[in-house]
PDB file of all heavy atoms in Angstrom:
ATOM      1  N   ALA P   1      -9.056  -1.303 -50.834  1.00 94.00           N
ATOM      2  CA  ALA P   1      -9.178   0.070 -50.341  1.00 94.00           C
ATOM      3  C   ALA P   1     -10.357   0.193 -49.378  1.00 94.00           C
ATOM      4  O   ALA P   1     -10.241   0.786 -48.303  1.00 94.00           O
ATOM      5  CB  ALA P   1      -9.342   1.036 -51.510  1.00 94.00           C
ATOM      6  N   LYS P   2     -11.490  -0.390 -49.766  1.00 93.00           N
ATOM      7  CA  LYS P   2     -12.678  -0.326 -48.912  1.00 93.00           C
ATOM      8  C   LYS P   2     -12.473  -1.135 -47.633  1.00 93.00           C
ATOM      9  O   LYS P   2     -12.857  -0.701 -46.543  1.00 93.00           O
ATOM     10  CB  LYS P   2     -13.893  -0.862 -49.671  1.00 93.00           C
ATOM     11  CG  LYS P   2     -15.216  -0.730 -48.917  1.00 93.00           C
ATOM     12  CD  LYS P   2     -15.582   0.726 -48.664  1.00 93.00           C
ATOM     13  CE  LYS P   2     -16.949   0.855 -48.014  1.00 93.00           C
ATOM     14  NZ  LYS P   2     -17.275   2.255 -47.679  1.00 93.00           N
ATOM     15  N   ALA P   3     -11.852  -2.300 -47.760  1.00 92.00           N
ATOM     16  CA  ALA P   3     -11.594  -3.129 -46.580  1.00 92.00           C
ATOM     17  C   ALA P   3     -10.700  -2.394 -45.586  1.00 92.00           C
ATOM     18  O   ALA P   3     -10.942  -2.413 -44.372  1.00 92.00           O
ATOM     19  CB  ALA P   3     -10.962  -4.454 -46.989  1.00 92.00           C
ATOM     20  N   GLY P   4      -9.639  -1.746 -46.092  1.00 94.00           N
ATOM     21  CA  GLY P   4      -8.748  -0.994 -45.206  1.00 94.00           C
ATOM     22  C   GLY P   4      -9.459   0.168 -44.548  1.00 94.00           C
ATOM     23  O   GLY P   4      -9.243   0.457 -43.351  1.00 94.00           O
ATOM     24  N   GLN P   5     -10.307   0.858 -45.297  1.00 95.00           N
ATOM     25  CA  GLN P   5     -11.063   1.977 -44.733  1.00 95.00           C
ATOM     26  C   GLN P   5     -11.981   1.505 -43.620  1.00 95.00           C
ATOM     27  O   GLN P   5     -12.038   2.115 -42.541  1.00 95.00           O
ATOM     28  CB  GLN P   5     -11.891   2.644 -45.834  1.00 95.00           C
ATOM     29  CG  GLN P   5     -12.756   3.811 -45.349  1.00 95.00           C
ATOM     30  CD  GLN P   5     -13.685   4.332 -46.447  1.00 95.00           C
ATOM     31  OE1 GLN P   5     -13.445   4.116 -47.634  1.00 95.00           O
ATOM     32  NE2 GLN P   5     -14.738   5.010 -46.053  1.00 95.00           N
ATOM     33  N   VAL P   6     -12.692   0.406 -43.865  1.00 92.00           N
ATOM     34  CA  VAL P   6     -13.585  -0.147 -42.836  1.00 92.00           C
ATOM     35  C   VAL P   6     -12.783  -0.540 -41.603  1.00 92.00           C
ATOM     36  O   VAL P   6     -13.200  -0.289 -40.464  1.00 92.00           O
ATOM     37  CB  VAL P   6     -14.357  -1.354 -43.398  1.00 92.00           C
ATOM     38  CG1 VAL P   6     -15.095  -2.088 -42.272  1.00 92.00           C
ATOM     39  CG2 VAL P   6     -15.341  -0.908 -44.457  1.00 92.00           C
ATOM     40  N   GLY P   7     -11.612  -1.159 -41.812  1.00 93.00           N
ATOM     41  CA  GLY P   7     -10.781  -1.561 -40.681  1.00 93.00           C
ATOM     42  C   GLY P   7     -10.361  -0.384 -39.833  1.00 93.00           C
ATOM     43  O   GLY P   7     -10.436  -0.427 -38.598  1.00 93.00           O
ATOM     44  N   ARG P   8      -9.918   0.700 -40.475  1.00 94.00           N
ATOM     45  CA  ARG P   8      -9.464   1.875 -39.718  1.00 94.00           C
ATOM     46  C   ARG P   8     -10.628   2.556 -38.991  1.00 94.00           C
ATOM     47  O   ARG P   8     -10.489   2.954 -37.818  1.00 94.00           O
ATOM     48  CB  ARG P   8      -8.763   2.853 -40.662  1.00 94.00           C
ATOM     49  CG  ARG P   8      -7.405   2.360 -41.156  1.00 94.00           C
ATOM     50  CD  ARG P   8      -6.681   3.418 -41.967  1.00 94.00           C
ATOM     51  NE  ARG P   8      -7.356   3.680 -43.237  1.00 94.00           N
ATOM     52  CZ  ARG P   8      -7.147   2.979 -44.346  1.00 94.00           C
ATOM     53  NH1 ARG P   8      -6.296   1.965 -44.346  1.00 94.00           N
ATOM     54  NH2 ARG P   8      -7.783   3.284 -45.471  1.00 94.00           N
ATOM     55  N   GLU P   9     -11.771   2.695 -39.677  1.00 94.00           N
ATOM     56  CA  GLU P   9     -12.911   3.327 -39.035  1.00 94.00           C
ATOM     57  C   GLU P   9     -13.417   2.496 -37.857  1.00 94.00           C
ATOM     58  O   GLU P   9     -13.768   3.039 -36.795  1.00 94.00           O
ATOM     59  CB  GLU P   9     -14.037   3.513 -40.059  1.00 94.00           C
ATOM     60  CG  GLU P   9     -13.723   4.567 -41.127  1.00 94.00           C
ATOM     61  CD  GLU P   9     -14.778   4.614 -42.214  1.00 94.00           C
ATOM     62  OE1 GLU P   9     -15.692   3.743 -42.198  1.00 94.00           O
ATOM     63  OE2 GLU P   9     -14.708   5.511 -43.088  1.00 94.00           O
ATOM     64  N   THR P  10     -13.445   1.203 -38.033  1.00 92.00           N
ATOM     65  CA  THR P  10     -13.927   0.317 -36.973  1.00 92.00           C
ATOM     66  C   THR P  10     -12.978   0.328 -35.786  1.00 92.00           C
ATOM     67  O   THR P  10     -13.411   0.290 -34.626  1.00 92.00           O
ATOM     68  CB  THR P  10     -14.087  -1.113 -37.513  1.00 92.00           C
ATOM     69  OG1 THR P  10     -14.938  -1.089 -38.657  1.00 92.00           O
ATOM     70  CG2 THR P  10     -14.701  -2.020 -36.468  1.00 92.00           C
ATOM     71  N   ARG P  11     -11.676   0.402 -36.064  1.00 93.00           N
ATOM     72  CA  ARG P  11     -10.715   0.441 -34.954  1.00 93.00           C
ATOM     73  C   ARG P  11     -10.906   1.705 -34.127  1.00 93.00           C
ATOM     74  O   ARG P  11     -10.820   1.670 -32.890  1.00 93.00           O
ATOM     75  CB  ARG P  11      -9.280   0.353 -35.492  1.00 93.00           C
ATOM     76  CG  ARG P  11      -8.254   0.246 -34.376  1.00 93.00           C
ATOM     77  CD  ARG P  11      -6.906  -0.201 -34.893  1.00 93.00           C
ATOM     78  NE  ARG P  11      -6.276   0.768 -35.776  1.00 93.00           N
ATOM     79  CZ  ARG P  11      -5.101   0.596 -36.372  1.00 93.00           C
ATOM     80  NH1 ARG P  11      -4.431  -0.546 -36.197  1.00 93.00           N
ATOM     81  NH2 ARG P  11      -4.590   1.513 -37.151  1.00 93.00           N
ATOM     82  N   GLU P  12     -11.171   2.832 -34.775  1.00 92.00           N
ATOM     83  CA  GLU P  12     -11.419   4.065 -34.036  1.00 92.00           C
ATOM     84  C   GLU P  12     -12.655   3.932 -33.151  1.00 92.00           C
ATOM     85  O   GLU P  12     -12.660   4.374 -31.994  1.00 92.00           O
ATOM     86  CB  GLU P  12     -11.597   5.229 -35.016  1.00 92.00           C
ATOM     87  CG  GLU P  12     -10.314   5.658 -35.712  1.00 92.00           C
ATOM     88  CD  GLU P  12      -9.257   6.173 -34.744  1.00 92.00           C
ATOM     89  OE1 GLU P  12      -9.633   6.876 -33.778  1.00 92.00           O
ATOM     90  OE2 GLU P  12      -8.071   5.862 -34.939  1.00 92.00           O
ATOM     91  N   LEU P  13     -13.724   3.320 -33.686  1.00 91.00           N
ATOM     92  CA  LEU P  13     -14.937   3.106 -32.892  1.00 91.00           C
ATOM     93  C   LEU P  13     -14.650   2.197 -31.697  1.00 91.00           C
ATOM     94  O   LEU P  13     -15.112   2.460 -30.576  1.00 91.00           O
ATOM     95  CB  LEU P  13     -16.026   2.470 -33.762  1.00 91.00           C
ATOM     96  CG  LEU P  13     -16.743   3.370 -34.769  1.00 91.00           C
ATOM     97  CD1 LEU P  13     -17.663   2.525 -35.647  1.00 91.00           C
ATOM     98  CD2 LEU P  13     -17.546   4.436 -34.034  1.00 91.00           C
ATOM     99  N   ALA P  14     -13.890   1.128 -31.932  1.00 91.00           N
ATOM    100  CA  ALA P  14     -13.581   0.188 -30.860  1.00 91.00           C
ATOM    101  C   ALA P  14     -12.734   0.842 -29.774  1.00 91.00           C
ATOM    102  O   ALA P  14     -12.936   0.605 -28.573  1.00 91.00           O
ATOM    103  CB  ALA P  14     -12.864  -1.032 -31.432  1.00 91.00           C
ATOM    104  N   MET P  15     -11.804   1.673 -30.179  1.00 91.00           N
ATOM    105  CA  MET P  15     -10.996   2.394 -29.195  1.00 91.00           C
ATOM    106  C   MET P  15     -11.871   3.314 -28.337  1.00 91.00           C
ATOM    107  O   MET P  15     -11.735   3.353 -27.106  1.00 91.00           O
ATOM    108  CB  MET P  15      -9.920   3.215 -29.903  1.00 91.00           C
ATOM    109  CG  MET P  15      -8.777   2.397 -30.466  1.00 91.00           C
ATOM    110  SD  MET P  15      -7.656   3.432 -31.440  1.00 91.00           S
ATOM    111  CE  MET P  15      -7.248   4.701 -30.248  1.00 91.00           C
ATOM    112  N   GLY P  16     -12.787   4.015 -29.001  1.00 89.00           N
ATOM    113  CA  GLY P  16     -13.660   4.920 -28.274  1.00 89.00           C
ATOM    114  C   GLY P  16     -14.544   4.210 -27.285  1.00 89.00           C
ATOM    115  O   GLY P  16     -14.898   4.762 -26.225  1.00 89.00           O
ATOM    116  N   ALA P  17     -14.907   2.952 -27.602  1.00 88.00           N
ATOM    117  CA  ALA P  17     -15.767   2.171 -26.715  1.00 88.00           C
ATOM    118  C   ALA P  17     -14.975   1.345 -25.716  1.00 88.00           C
ATOM    119  O   ALA P  17     -15.560   0.656 -24.879  1.00 88.00           O
ATOM    120  CB  ALA P  17     -16.647   1.253 -27.556  1.00 88.00           C
ATOM    121  N   GLY P  18     -13.647   1.394 -25.814  1.00 89.00           N
ATOM    122  CA  GLY P  18     -12.816   0.626 -24.879  1.00 89.00           C
ATOM    123  C   GLY P  18     -12.882  -0.868 -25.110  1.00 89.00           C
ATOM    124  O   GLY P  18     -12.730  -1.657 -24.177  1.00 89.00           O
ATOM    125  N   LEU P  19     -13.102  -1.286 -26.361  1.00 89.00           N
ATOM    126  CA  LEU P  19     -13.242  -2.704 -26.694  1.00 89.00           C
ATOM    127  C   LEU P  19     -11.898  -3.250 -27.194  1.00 89.00           C
ATOM    128  O   LEU P  19     -11.549  -3.120 -28.372  1.00 89.00           O
ATOM    129  CB  LEU P  19     -14.328  -2.880 -27.761  1.00 89.00           C
ATOM    130  CG  LEU P  19     -15.733  -2.406 -27.349  1.00 89.00           C
ATOM    131  CD1 LEU P  19     -16.685  -2.451 -28.534  1.00 89.00           C
ATOM    132  CD2 LEU P  19     -16.265  -3.256 -26.198  1.00 89.00           C
ATOM    133  N   ALA P  20     -11.141  -3.848 -26.280  1.00 89.00           N
ATOM    134  CA  ALA P  20      -9.766  -4.242 -26.573  1.00 89.00           C
ATOM    135  C   ALA P  20      -9.686  -5.303 -27.668  1.00 89.00           C
ATOM    136  O   ALA P  20      -8.886  -5.194 -28.603  1.00 89.00           O
ATOM    137  CB  ALA P  20      -9.098  -4.746 -25.298  1.00 89.00           C
ATOM    138  N   ARG P  21     -10.503  -6.357 -27.554  1.00 87.00           N
ATOM    139  CA  ARG P  21     -10.411  -7.416 -28.556  1.00 87.00           C
ATOM    140  C   ARG P  21     -10.767  -6.887 -29.938  1.00 87.00           C
ATOM    141  O   ARG P  21     -10.113  -7.225 -30.936  1.00 87.00           O
ATOM    142  CB  ARG P  21     -11.333  -8.580 -28.194  1.00 87.00           C
ATOM    143  CG  ARG P  21     -11.422  -9.599 -29.324  1.00 87.00           C
ATOM    144  CD  ARG P  21     -12.149 -10.854 -28.932  1.00 87.00           C
ATOM    145  NE  ARG P  21     -12.339 -11.728 -30.090  1.00 87.00           N
ATOM    146  CZ  ARG P  21     -12.717 -12.989 -30.038  1.00 87.00           C
ATOM    147  NH1 ARG P  21     -12.964 -13.539 -28.872  1.00 87.00           N
ATOM    148  NH2 ARG P  21     -12.870 -13.709 -31.135  1.00 87.00           N
ATOM    149  N   GLU P  22     -11.811  -6.050 -30.014  1.00 89.00           N
ATOM    150  CA  GLU P  22     -12.231  -5.514 -31.308  1.00 89.00           C
ATOM    151  C   GLU P  22     -11.161  -4.609 -31.916  1.00 89.00           C
ATOM    152  O   GLU P  22     -11.015  -4.551 -33.138  1.00 89.00           O
ATOM    153  CB  GLU P  22     -13.557  -4.773 -31.163  1.00 89.00           C
ATOM    154  CG  GLU P  22     -14.770  -5.678 -31.017  1.00 89.00           C
ATOM    155  CD  GLU P  22     -14.907  -6.302 -29.635  1.00 89.00           C
ATOM    156  OE1 GLU P  22     -14.097  -5.954 -28.738  1.00 89.00           O
ATOM    157  OE2 GLU P  22     -15.813  -7.114 -29.429  1.00 89.00           O
ATOM    158  N   VAL P  23     -10.393  -3.920 -31.060  1.00 91.00           N
ATOM    159  CA  VAL P  23      -9.256  -3.150 -31.561  1.00 91.00           C
ATOM    160  C   VAL P  23      -8.258  -4.092 -32.230  1.00 91.00           C
ATOM    161  O   VAL P  23      -7.726  -3.816 -33.309  1.00 91.00           O
ATOM    162  CB  VAL P  23      -8.581  -2.359 -30.416  1.00 91.00           C
ATOM    163  CG1 VAL P  23      -7.254  -1.754 -30.886  1.00 91.00           C
ATOM    164  CG2 VAL P  23      -9.496  -1.254 -29.907  1.00 91.00           C
ATOM    165  N   GLY P  24      -8.001  -5.231 -31.574  1.00 91.00           N
ATOM    166  CA  GLY P  24      -7.085  -6.215 -32.145  1.00 91.00           C
ATOM    167  C   GLY P  24      -7.604  -6.807 -33.433  1.00 91.00           C
ATOM    168  O   GLY P  24      -6.855  -6.978 -34.407  1.00 91.00           O
ATOM    169  N   GLU P  25      -8.911  -7.113 -33.481  1.00 89.00           N
ATOM    170  CA  GLU P  25      -9.487  -7.698 -34.696  1.00 89.00           C
ATOM    171  C   GLU P  25      -9.458  -6.709 -35.855  1.00 89.00           C
ATOM    172  O   GLU P  25      -9.157  -7.089 -36.998  1.00 89.00           O
ATOM    173  CB  GLU P  25     -10.921  -8.147 -34.410  1.00 89.00           C
ATOM    174  CG  GLU P  25     -10.997  -9.365 -33.504  1.00 89.00           C
ATOM    175  CD  GLU P  25     -12.420  -9.805 -33.233  1.00 89.00           C
ATOM    176  OE1 GLU P  25     -13.319  -8.928 -33.177  1.00 89.00           O
ATOM    177  OE2 GLU P  25     -12.643 -11.012 -33.069  1.00 89.00           O
ATOM    178  N   ALA P  26      -9.770  -5.451 -35.576  1.00 92.00           N
ATOM    179  CA  ALA P  26      -9.709  -4.438 -36.625  1.00 92.00           C
ATOM    180  C   ALA P  26      -8.274  -4.260 -37.112  1.00 92.00           C
ATOM    181  O   ALA P  26      -8.022  -4.086 -38.317  1.00 92.00           O
ATOM    182  CB  ALA P  26     -10.268  -3.111 -36.121  1.00 92.00           C
ATOM    183  N   SER P  27      -7.312  -4.324 -36.199  1.00 93.00           N
ATOM    184  CA  SER P  27      -5.894  -4.229 -36.587  1.00 93.00           C
ATOM    185  C   SER P  27      -5.488  -5.413 -37.452  1.00 93.00           C
ATOM    186  O   SER P  27      -4.704  -5.269 -38.400  1.00 93.00           O
ATOM    187  CB  SER P  27      -5.017  -4.150 -35.336  1.00 93.00           C
ATOM    188  OG  SER P  27      -5.311  -2.996 -34.577  1.00 93.00           O
ATOM    189  N   ALA P  28      -6.024  -6.598 -37.131  1.00 90.00           N
ATOM    190  CA  ALA P  28      -5.744  -7.777 -37.946  1.00 90.00           C
ATOM    191  C   ALA P  28      -6.281  -7.589 -39.359  1.00 90.00           C
ATOM    192  O   ALA P  28      -5.623  -7.954 -40.341  1.00 90.00           O
ATOM    193  CB  ALA P  28      -6.357  -9.018 -37.306  1.00 90.00           C
ATOM    194  N   LEU P  29      -7.477  -7.016 -39.467  1.00 91.00           N
ATOM    195  CA  LEU P  29      -8.054  -6.751 -40.786  1.00 91.00           C
ATOM    196  C   LEU P  29      -7.178  -5.776 -41.569  1.00 91.00           C
ATOM    197  O   LEU P  29      -6.881  -6.000 -42.755  1.00 91.00           O
ATOM    198  CB  LEU P  29      -9.467  -6.191 -40.638  1.00 91.00           C
ATOM    199  CG  LEU P  29     -10.171  -5.730 -41.921  1.00 91.00           C
ATOM    200  CD1 LEU P  29     -10.261  -6.866 -42.927  1.00 91.00           C
ATOM    201  CD2 LEU P  29     -11.553  -5.175 -41.601  1.00 91.00           C
ATOM    202  N   ILE P  30      -6.732  -4.698 -40.914  1.00 94.00           N
ATOM    203  CA  ILE P  30      -5.860  -3.720 -41.568  1.00 94.00           C
ATOM    204  C   ILE P  30      -4.562  -4.388 -42.022  1.00 94.00           C
ATOM    205  O   ILE P  30      -4.065  -4.158 -43.126  1.00 94.00           O
ATOM    206  CB  ILE P  30      -5.557  -2.550 -40.601  1.00 94.00           C
ATOM    207  CG1 ILE P  30      -6.856  -1.774 -40.309  1.00 94.00           C
ATOM    208  CG2 ILE P  30      -4.495  -1.624 -41.175  1.00 94.00           C
ATOM    209  CD1 ILE P  30      -6.729  -0.817 -39.131  1.00 94.00           C
ATOM    210  N   GLY P  31      -4.013  -5.240 -41.148  1.00 93.00           N
ATOM    211  CA  GLY P  31      -2.785  -5.951 -41.502  1.00 93.00           C
ATOM    212  C   GLY P  31      -2.973  -6.902 -42.663  1.00 93.00           C
ATOM    213  O   GLY P  31      -2.107  -7.016 -43.545  1.00 93.00           O
ATOM    214  N   LEU P  32      -4.107  -7.625 -42.693  1.00 91.00           N
ATOM    215  CA  LEU P  32      -4.377  -8.554 -43.788  1.00 91.00           C
ATOM    216  C   LEU P  32      -4.483  -7.822 -45.127  1.00 91.00           C
ATOM    217  O   LEU P  32      -4.006  -8.311 -46.154  1.00 91.00           O
ATOM    218  CB  LEU P  32      -5.666  -9.329 -43.510  1.00 91.00           C
ATOM    219  CG  LEU P  32      -5.559 -10.460 -42.482  1.00 91.00           C
ATOM    220  CD1 LEU P  32      -6.951 -10.937 -42.074  1.00 91.00           C
ATOM    221  CD2 LEU P  32      -4.734 -11.612 -43.030  1.00 91.00           C
ATOM    222  N   VAL P  33      -5.109  -6.646 -45.095  1.00 93.00           N
ATOM    223  CA  VAL P  33      -5.213  -5.850 -46.325  1.00 93.00           C
ATOM    224  C   VAL P  33      -3.816  -5.503 -46.836  1.00 93.00           C
ATOM    225  O   VAL P  33      -3.507  -5.669 -48.027  1.00 93.00           O
ATOM    226  CB  VAL P  33      -6.028  -4.572 -46.070  1.00 93.00           C
ATOM    227  CG1 VAL P  33      -5.942  -3.634 -47.280  1.00 93.00           C
ATOM    228  CG2 VAL P  33      -7.491  -4.909 -45.774  1.00 93.00           C
ATOM    229  N   ALA P  34      -2.967  -5.028 -45.938  1.00 93.00           N
ATOM    230  CA  ALA P  34      -1.600  -4.661 -46.341  1.00 93.00           C
ATOM    231  C   ALA P  34      -0.826  -5.879 -46.827  1.00 93.00           C
ATOM    232  O   ALA P  34      -0.063  -5.819 -47.799  1.00 93.00           O
ATOM    233  CB  ALA P  34      -0.877  -4.006 -45.163  1.00 93.00           C
ATOM    234  N   HIS P  35      -1.023  -7.024 -46.152  1.00 90.00           N
ATOM    235  CA  HIS P  35      -0.333  -8.255 -46.538  1.00 90.00           C
ATOM    236  C   HIS P  35      -0.740  -8.677 -47.951  1.00 90.00           C
ATOM    237  O   HIS P  35       0.113  -9.066 -48.768  1.00 90.00           O
ATOM    238  CB  HIS P  35      -0.669  -9.366 -45.540  1.00 90.00           C
ATOM    239  CG  HIS P  35      -0.130 -10.709 -45.917  1.00 90.00           C
ATOM    240  ND1 HIS P  35       1.212 -11.009 -45.909  1.00 90.00           N
ATOM    241  CD2 HIS P  35      -0.763 -11.836 -46.334  1.00 90.00           C
ATOM    242  CE1 HIS P  35       1.396 -12.252 -46.297  1.00 90.00           C
ATOM    243  NE2 HIS P  35       0.209 -12.784 -46.563  1.00 90.00           N
ATOM    244  N   MET P  36      -2.035  -8.590 -48.242  1.00 89.00           N
ATOM    245  CA  MET P  36      -2.526  -8.966 -49.574  1.00 89.00           C
ATOM    246  C   MET P  36      -1.922  -8.076 -50.660  1.00 89.00           C
ATOM    247  O   MET P  36      -1.753  -8.498 -51.805  1.00 89.00           O
ATOM    248  CB  MET P  36      -4.051  -8.854 -49.617  1.00 89.00           C
ATOM    249  CG  MET P  36      -4.777  -9.848 -48.740  1.00 89.00           C
ATOM    250  SD  MET P  36      -4.663 -11.513 -49.394  1.00 89.00           S
ATOM    251  CE  MET P  36      -5.907 -12.344 -48.406  1.00 89.00           C
ATOM    252  N   GLN P  37      -1.577  -6.859 -50.293  1.00 92.00           N
ATOM    253  CA  GLN P  37      -1.025  -5.912 -51.272  1.00 92.00           C
ATOM    254  C   GLN P  37       0.504  -5.878 -51.237  1.00 92.00           C
ATOM    255  O   GLN P  37       1.124  -5.069 -51.928  1.00 92.00           O
ATOM    256  CB  GLN P  37      -1.579  -4.510 -51.000  1.00 92.00           C
ATOM    257  CG  GLN P  37      -3.092  -4.420 -51.200  1.00 92.00           C
ATOM    258  CD  GLN P  37      -3.633  -3.055 -50.835  1.00 92.00           C
ATOM    259  OE1 GLN P  37      -3.549  -2.606 -49.679  1.00 92.00           O
ATOM    260  NE2 GLN P  37      -4.202  -2.370 -51.814  1.00 92.00           N
ATOM    261  N   GLY P  38       1.101  -6.745 -50.421  1.00 89.00           N
ATOM    262  CA  GLY P  38       2.556  -6.808 -50.345  1.00 89.00           C
ATOM    263  C   GLY P  38       3.199  -5.682 -49.567  1.00 89.00           C
ATOM    264  O   GLY P  38       4.406  -5.443 -49.711  1.00 89.00           O
ATOM    265  N   GLY P  39       2.425  -4.983 -48.718  1.00 92.00           N
ATOM    266  CA  GLY P  39       2.983  -3.845 -47.991  1.00 92.00           C
ATOM    267  C   GLY P  39       2.887  -3.946 -46.485  1.00 92.00           C
ATOM    268  O   GLY P  39       2.887  -2.922 -45.793  1.00 92.00           O
ATOM    269  N   TRP P  40       2.835  -5.190 -45.964  1.00 91.00           N
ATOM    270  CA  TRP P  40       2.639  -5.317 -44.519  1.00 91.00           C
ATOM    271  C   TRP P  40       3.814  -4.752 -43.722  1.00 91.00           C
ATOM    272  O   TRP P  40       3.618  -4.080 -42.713  1.00 91.00           O
ATOM    273  CB  TRP P  40       2.417  -6.776 -44.109  1.00 91.00           C
ATOM    274  CG  TRP P  40       2.293  -6.885 -42.620  1.00 91.00           C
ATOM    275  CD1 TRP P  40       1.170  -6.642 -41.865  1.00 91.00           C
ATOM    276  CD2 TRP P  40       3.334  -7.194 -41.693  1.00 91.00           C
ATOM    277  NE1 TRP P  40       1.456  -6.785 -40.528  1.00 91.00           N
ATOM    278  CE2 TRP P  40       2.782  -7.128 -40.395  1.00 91.00           C
ATOM    279  CE3 TRP P  40       4.681  -7.515 -41.828  1.00 91.00           C
ATOM    280  CZ2 TRP P  40       3.529  -7.384 -39.247  1.00 91.00           C
ATOM    281  CZ3 TRP P  40       5.430  -7.770 -40.681  1.00 91.00           C
ATOM    282  CH2 TRP P  40       4.857  -7.709 -39.402  1.00 91.00           C
ATOM    283  N   ARG P  41       5.039  -5.014 -44.139  1.00 89.00           N
ATOM    284  CA  ARG P  41       6.199  -4.565 -43.351  1.00 89.00           C
ATOM    285  C   ARG P  41       6.200  -3.045 -43.214  1.00 89.00           C
ATOM    286  O   ARG P  41       6.464  -2.513 -42.127  1.00 89.00           O
ATOM    287  CB  ARG P  41       7.504  -5.036 -43.998  1.00 89.00           C
ATOM    288  CG  ARG P  41       7.720  -6.527 -43.895  1.00 89.00           C
ATOM    289  CD  ARG P  41       9.142  -6.901 -44.255  1.00 89.00           C
ATOM    290  NE  ARG P  41       9.334  -8.339 -44.268  1.00 89.00           N
ATOM    291  CZ  ARG P  41      10.517  -8.939 -44.358  1.00 89.00           C
ATOM    292  NH1 ARG P  41      11.612  -8.193 -44.435  1.00 89.00           N
ATOM    293  NH2 ARG P  41      10.616 -10.240 -44.363  1.00 89.00           N
TER     294      ARG P  41
END
C-alpha cells in the first residue's frame, strides 16, 4: 500500500517537472506493486 502510494505521488511530481524517464520509472513501480498483488492486468 505504501509502495503504491509513493509511486503515484512520485509520478505526479515527475509529470509536473516534465521528467519523462521518472514518469516511466514511477509507473514501473506502480505496476510492480500490482503484479505482486496479482492485479496487474
Side-chain angles (χ1 to χ4, degrees):
K2 185 63 175 176
Q5 178 187 339
V6 170
R8 289 186 292 274
E9 290 173 354
T10 305
R11 186 165 66 181
E12 289 298 321
L13 285 173
M15 286 174 55
L19 299 172
R21 171 171 174 167
E22 285 76 5
V23 170
E25 289 180 327
S27 298
L29 174 58
I30 294 167
L32 283 168
V33 171
H35 174 69
M36 293 289 193
Q37 296 176 298
W40 177 81
R41 290 193 185 190

